[in-house]
Amino acid sequence: MSSSAAPRYPLVLVPGLLGFISLLGYPYWYGIVSALRRLGARVFPVLVSSVHSSEVRGEQLLLRIGEILQQTGAEKVHLIGHSQGALTARYVAALRPEWVASVTSVAGPNHGSELADFLQRKAPHGSLRERLLAFLLRAVARCMAWLERGYTGPPLPMDVAAAQQSLTSAGVAAFNAQYPQGLPESWGGEGAAEVAGVRYYSWSGTLQAGITDKDGNRFDGPNVACRLFARTFRREAGQCDGMVGRYSSHLGTVIGDSYPLDHFDIVNQTFGLVGKGADPVRLFVEHAQRLQAAGL
Ligand code: CA
């Protein structure tokens, strides 16, 4: 059983594109799983295909949740998805709401990623650039699968084109038409707090000059990458975390959408190196307390 200070239902953490559980002992949810466990929560960082559509990843997540429910005897789980993990969680909640107490989107591209749109424009289907990018992505994913130590299931399939399609604004719009649960009705608004018995929440960050590029992030390569990626944004120029726009991340109750965190900081990467005054782990702990206070 979980302690009385912890959420009643297990927390299932779903990673994004190129996600992992533990690479040679190095965790995706850096310092987050341990902080949640200190609270007394039952926490399951899971793996789904690191490169694939949100629907295929969602089907894999459904199987994994079935196992977790059986293992724990819990009636439901909380799903917390980072980046594409949020879309993966939303798919599951749409199909099996009775299994899901809440879906929380952490920097989820719930209306698509303008970075994915940019890549699609610059490396269109059938182009040499597209083939090169796909080759690199597959190579990185295979290398990560080889280093993965936290996953014991069967090999997971990979489909670069399906992953790309699942992250563009047009691709996510098609996904949203089928799985609209928790989405805001207007751009920049909040979504329903609860749909079919499932609570929906989201939080995200933005790049903030003089803050997110300071302290630990001065030595962190992914922050430099996010600052480069941010230049590809048009609709949400100056209002993104490098990979996902502030309003694009909105789902259900918006806990916050402008924390000083880039797309990797928000899961405390890398090695806890984040910008000035940032504390991404605290957001997870507070959220677990929020769920517990709601009786979930
Ligand atoms: Ca960082």
Side-chain angles (χ1 to χ4, degrees):
M1 280 302 287
S2 54
S3 82
S4 59
R8 179 174 159 196
Y9 301 115
L11 304 171
V12 177
L13 308 184
V14 189
L17 181 79
L18 292 178
F20 56 93
I21 297 174
S22 169
L23 298 181
L24 297 180
Y26 181 78
Y28 184 94
W29 307 88
Y30 189 84
I32 294 167
V33 172
S34 49
L36 291 170
R37 285 185 179 149
R38 275 197 296 278
L39 208 61
R42 295 173 288 177
V43 189
F44 294 84
V46 301
L47 190 66
V48 291
S49 281
S50 69
V51 181
H52 219 309
S53 71
S54 300
E55 291 88 343
V56 166
R57 288 162 52 92
E59 288 296 325
Q60 296 164 354
L61 181 58
L62 275 169
L63 292 175
R64 187 71 187 97
I65 293 169
E67 293 169 359
I68 291 167
L69 293 177
Q70 199 165 35
Q71 182 187 335
T72 59
E75 292 164 26
K76 297 180 180 194
V77 294
H78 291 295
L79 298 176
I80 301 180
H82 173 233
S83 198
Q84 196 189 2
L87 304 177
T88 312
R90 286 175 47 200
Y91 174 88
V92 165
L95 262 67
R96 295 300 296 264
E98 70 277 16
W99 278 5
V100 182
S102 71
V103 167
T104 302
S105 163
V106 178
N110 292 307
H111 300 84
S113 163
E114 291 192 61
L115 175 63
D117 296 344
F118 171 82
L119 291 173
Q120 195 175 50
R121 284 196 304 275
K122 294 296 175 187
H125 188 60
S127 67
L128 180 64
R129 268 189 198 160
E130 187 218 23
R131 289 202 296 275
L132 186 64
L133 275 174
F135 173 80
L136 285 173
L137 203 57
R138 275 196 296 270
V140 171
R142 286 208 182 94
C143 184
M144 290 170 71
W146 185 65
L147 299 172
E148 174 68 56
R149 292 297 179 270
Y151 175 75
T152 53
L156 295 163
M158 205 187 311
D159 186 329
V160 175
Q164 159 91 2
Q165 178 63 17
S166 272
L167 292 165
T168 61
S169 298
V172 177
F175 178 87
N176 287 349
Q178 282 198 71
Y179 313 107
Q181 292 82 355
L183 289 171
E185 287 190 8
S186 59
W187 181 241
E190 295 195 53
E194 184 176 334
V195 183
V198 180
R199 306 280 182 107
Y200 285 86
Y201 303 93
S202 57
W203 77 76
S204 60
T206 55
L207 297 180
Q208 296 165 31
I211 300 174
T212 49
D213 51 0
K214 298 297 181 192
D215 285 10
N217 271 347
R218 279 184 298 149
F219 314 103
D220 198 18
N223 182 260
V224 177
C226 282
R227 279 185 271 155
L228 283 174
F229 295 159
R231 296 186 194 171
T232 67
F233 280 62
R234 294 173 175 178
R235 189 181 192 185
E236 296 203 77
Q239 294 291 325
C240 73
D241 69 2
M243 298 179 92
V244 174
R246 179 178 175 182
Y247 286 172
S248 176
S249 75
H250 283 199
L251 181 77
T253 301
V254 179
I255 293 163
D257 64 1
S258 51
Y259 293 109
L261 298 166
D262 71 33
H263 197 69
F264 300 94
D265 292 339
I266 210 155
V267 286
N268 207 25
Q269 295 291 351
T270 41
F271 291 104
L273 293 173
V274 295
K276 194 156 70 183
D279 189 355
V281 178
R282 182 176 54 82
L283 297 175
F284 284 87
V285 170
E286 285 177 357
H287 190 50
Q289 291 166 332
R290 181 179 293 116
L291 298 172
Q292 187 272 340
L296 304 168

